[in-house]
Amino acid sequence: MVLGNKMVRIGIEVICIIFGSMLVAVGSNTLLLPAHLLSGGLMGICMIIYNVTGWSVGTQYFLYNIPLLILAYIHLGRKFIVYTLLAVGFDSLFLHLVPIKMMWTQNIILAAIFGGVVSFAGGAIMLRAGGSNGGLDVLGRVIAKYKNLSIARFGLIMNFIIITISAVIFNVQAAMFTILSMYVGAKTYDTILTVAERSSVMIVTDKGSEVSAALNEAFNRGVTFWDGEGAYSHTNKQVVFCVIVNIQWSDLVDLVKEVDETAFITAVPAHKIVGNFKNIW
């Protein structure tokens, strides 16, 4: 039973990686590249070289990732490398298969916005599945592990360089639209990652049993509660603890307030969970 569940989970993760790779290729080849716009990171570097030399983005992306993946294998976890290798392979394949031409719109503003949304959404889906889009993300993780330079700051520096090159080889307007695309894409990326993140919730209430029962029924979540005492009022309280996916936060607050209007609710990010927790996309 446990092995069967693990195989199902792995299968879903692999499907998410393949789907994410397809989105990256569609966003890049049908919206960004034909409009002379660039993506961020290593993909953006490949696009620059494609525009100058005509060399396939898919081939470049695969070749440039080889030394980065070797570096990551030495310094990062095995599962991350296997899934990232899978993502890079499908990225390269789909970038070869999807034709480079405007398919959805001739408007450069729409191409910038939706190119960023689609391609960055693909990267976020792959990250949620346990891998990554490869490229400079891998290098950023390795640098962040050993140096006082965050992944976000490293990415910002590299994207600034890409935007500057875009202004030189195309024009300032193209660089401005590339900034727009990266901004919208980053917001999409953060939204997808944040909405599926988990939080540890602690509720201080006078009605611990009722709140626990309501949470169990509504969310099918395991709940723990223990007795406490108000330090100022010295009245008996119950402290209820559970872990939720962030998209459940507003429903949880409404539900608890229906049971106990005076309940005190707080939440902190739960980055790692070991035990029986059913994640929800």
Side-chain angles (χ1 to χ4, degrees), residues 2 8 13 25 28 58 82 108 117 137 192 204 218:
V2 174
V8 170
E13 289 171 348
S28 299
V82 171
I108 189 172
V117 168
D137 287 347
I192 291 176
V204 180

Side-chain angles (χ1 to χ4, degrees), residues 27-236:
S28 299
N29 285 10
T30 68
L31 291 165
L32 297 179
L33 266 176
H36 298 300
L37 303 175
L38 303 176
S39 185
L42 183 61
M43 187 72 71
I45 295 173
C46 294
M47 289 177 171
I48 291 171
I49 296 174
Y50 166 81
N51 279 285
V52 174
T53 67
W55 191 16
S56 166
V57 173
T59 301
Q60 289 185 70
Y61 197 71
F62 183 79
L63 293 176
Y64 300 159
N65 266 291
I66 292 175
L68 294 174
L69 290 174
I70 293 173
L71 181 68
Y73 181 79
I74 297 172
H75 297 281
L76 302 175
R78 181 177 298 177
K79 177 185 174 182
F80 174 79
I81 295 305
V82 171
Y83 278 10
T84 299
L85 182 61
L86 184 67
V88 168
F90 277 105
D91 278 348
S92 303
L93 176 64
F94 288 129
L95 285 166
H96 258 305
L97 296 178
V98 177
I100 299 176
K101 63 178 182 179
M102 296 289 271
M103 288 187 177
W104 319 105
T105 180
Q106 299 300 317
N107 188 305
I108 189 172
I109 298 177
L110 293 178
I113 293 173
F114 286 96
V117 168
V118 173
S119 58
F120 276 76
I125 289 171
M126 284 188 278
L127 194 63
R128 287 302 312 171
S132 85
N133 219 11
L136 298 183
D137 287 347
V138 173
L139 184 58
R141 283 174 179 246
V142 174
I143 291 174
K145 185 175 180 180
Y146 297 103
K147 301 293 183 180
N148 187 25
L149 181 65
S150 68
I151 297 174
R153 184 172 296 179
F154 174 76
L156 184 64
I157 293 170
M158 296 306 302
N159 287 339
F160 176 78
I161 295 172
I162 289 170
I163 292 166
T164 302
I165 295 174
S166 173
V168 172
I169 65 174
F170 300 126
N171 52 58
V172 175
Q173 178 175 280
M176 293 169 68
F177 281 125
T178 293
I179 293 172
L180 173 63
S181 179
M182 288 182 177
Y183 176 79
V184 173
K187 288 295 183 182
T188 303
Y189 196 83
D190 288 342
T191 299
I192 291 176
L193 293 181
T194 302
V195 78
E197 287 295 328
R198 298 152 298 188
S199 293
S200 299
V201 179
M202 194 171 293
I203 305 161
V204 180
T205 175
D206 296 319
K207 302 177 180 179
S209 297
E210 294 90 331
V211 169
S212 298
L215 293 177
N216 276 322
E217 182 178 353
F219 300 128
N220 193 27
R221 292 291 187 199
V223 177
T224 301
F225 79 88
W226 58 90
D227 293 328
E229 180 181 339
Y232 177 76
S233 63
H234 296 289
T235 57
N236 293 329

